[in-house]
Amino acid sequence: MADIASAGAAAIAGAAALLRAGRLVAFPTETVYGLGGDATNEHAVAAIFAAKARPRFNPLIVHVRDLAEAERLAVFNEPAHRAAVRFWPGPLTLVLPRRPGVGVSLLASAGLDTVAVRVPAYPVAQALLREAGRPIAAPSANRSGRVSPTEAAHVADDLGDDVALILDDGPTPVGIESTVLDLSGAAPALLRPGAVTFEALTELLGPVSLPVSALPKSPGMLPSHYAPRLPVRIAATDARPGEALLAFGPDAPPGFAEVLWLSRAGDLVEAAANLFAMLRRLDRPSFTGIAVMPIPEHGLGRAINDRLRRAAAPRGS
Ligand code: TXA
Ligand code: MG
């Protein structure tokens, strides 16, 4: 099993030394736990893909300390600068043209001429970046296709021996991944709804296009992702035999084998923070499936519904 260490100063220094030596370290951010590797080391980045068992080279987010460091890796246009000033540090990832000749692993960009950069706000992540003294490539610290980890134990369950050290700082406060915004093209494009809301982005930048995954269409259009083992049924208003329920709002329909409340108060922030941990808790063979009550399609609800639609999408082979 991987070493789990409480994220104090000594453990963070140890984690930074492991990163500099090319090893992988899981660490908390404000969104979810990341599986970090030295973004300037091709071997470390390749090890991230191997540990996640990613079927293909999906590009990774490169985490940096601040805007100045991000500007050394990527070319910022005016909207990118505005978004960074407004939302960094914080749960926004910007896809921008790579600066030619920078030392960031080409594999981290999966061969694209863009790079995804993010400045996390979470103090442990900031301290780790400072100690490591280099950018850290970090996808969510789950096996490919599984639910993202919001607690150290989730990382240990999924990745075990493939990570040298897990820095534990309790549950992550936001609980859903960063928003991925592509500003490398002619117009802003949302690639992944996340913790920074679509409404907040359009208010700052004007029109932003939405991905298919963020449109409330049939889950059948989406690749399955973020999936528990049990089938997931969204917008459920009644019980089917043996199902467990993720409830939202004060009243849950009767007849479910077990009910966990994403938020009794109908609070989307609370629901996002609980989402992945509760999906994991209900993912037990004693149930026939996980039903989820309707979640409103605004604010953080867009990101929650995006993840739920993917979890409910027909499973591949
Ligand atoms: O909250 C988060 O973003 C977490 C924490 C650890 O920072 N990280 C995370 O990484 O969720 P990951 O690898 O699970 O998701 C990265 C997303 C993927 O959807 C990927 O396709 C997209 O960002 N992405 C990364 N680089 C890209 C690029 N150059 N062009 C387009 N999309 C990119
Ligand atoms: Mg992920």
Side-chain angles (χ1 to χ4, degrees):
M1 261 326 221
D3 246 1
I4 302 186
S6 177
I12 292 171
L18 286 167
L19 283 171
R20 285 194 302 270
R23 309 286 302 279
L24 303 187
V25 170
F27 64 98
T29 77
E30 64 273 39
T31 58
V32 299
Y33 278 76
L35 175 62
D38 177 351
T40 66
N41 177 334
E42 295 285 358
H43 289 278
V45 173
I48 293 175
F49 285 107
K52 282 192 63 97
R54 268 202 176 170
R56 60 198 165 87
F57 292 140
N58 202 356
L60 305 178
I61 297 172
V62 177
H63 298 68
V64 293
R65 286 176 59 178
D66 52 26
L67 174 56
E69 192 179 355
E71 282 183 302
R72 284 197 283 276
L73 309 182
V75 182
F76 279 65
N77 52 20
E78 193 279 326
H81 202 261
R82 211 168 348 134
V85 167
R86 171 76 180 75
F87 295 110
W88 280 356
L92 177 68
T93 297
L94 296 176
V95 173
L96 298 169
R98 264 177 88 101
R99 241 179 231 295
V102 290
V104 166
S105 151
L106 286 168
L107 188 54
S109 286
L112 302 171
D113 52 13
T114 54
V115 61
V117 282
R118 145 157 147 83
V119 177
Y122 200 66
V124 173
Q126 275 287 337
L128 184 63
L129 284 162
R130 201 162 52 238
E131 291 275 334
R134 58 197 69 190
I136 300 175
S140 51
N142 52 283
R143 272 195 194 270
S144 186
R146 302 287 324 277
V147 174
S148 291
T150 57
E151 297 175 18
H154 301 163
V155 181
D157 288 349
D158 264 22
L159 298 178
D161 291 336
D162 292 331
V163 49
L165 178 68
I166 303 172
L167 286 176
D168 184 359
D169 199 38
T172 56
V174 176
I176 205 153
E177 300 89 340
S178 67
T179 303
V180 181
L181 180 67
D182 185 356
L183 294 174
S184 69
L190 189 68
L191 300 183
R192 179 177 72 182
V196 169
T197 65
F198 176 72
E199 290 87 343
L201 291 175
T202 53
E203 190 184 303
L204 184 77
L205 301 173
V208 174
S209 68
L210 281 169
V212 169
S213 70
L215 302 172
K217 287 185 190 148
S218 149
M221 298 186 58
L222 296 174
S224 169
H225 198 31
Y226 302 99
R229 292 184 179 85
L230 287 179
V232 173
R233 189 164 68 87
I234 54 180
T237 52
D238 56 359
R240 292 185 188 165
E243 271 184 339
L245 179 72
L246 282 181
F248 183 83
D251 305 308
F256 287 94
E258 183 165 337
V259 180
L260 293 180
W261 256 272
L262 287 171
S263 171
R264 269 185 206 271
D267 176 5
L268 291 168
V269 174
E270 185 187 6
N274 283 329
L275 179 67
F276 291 139
M278 288 186 173
L279 278 171
R280 281 179 188 257
R281 269 167 63 192
L282 291 182
D283 195 15
R284 303 202 300 268
S286 50
F287 303 127
T288 57
I290 303 171
V292 190
M293 286 174 67
I295 310 286
E297 188 71 22
H298 61 76
L300 273 183
R302 279 182 202 275
I304 295 171
N305 283 325
D306 168 77
R307 306 308 186 269
L308 287 172
R309 281 181 209 116
R310 291 173 187 279
R315 308 286 165 87
S317 52

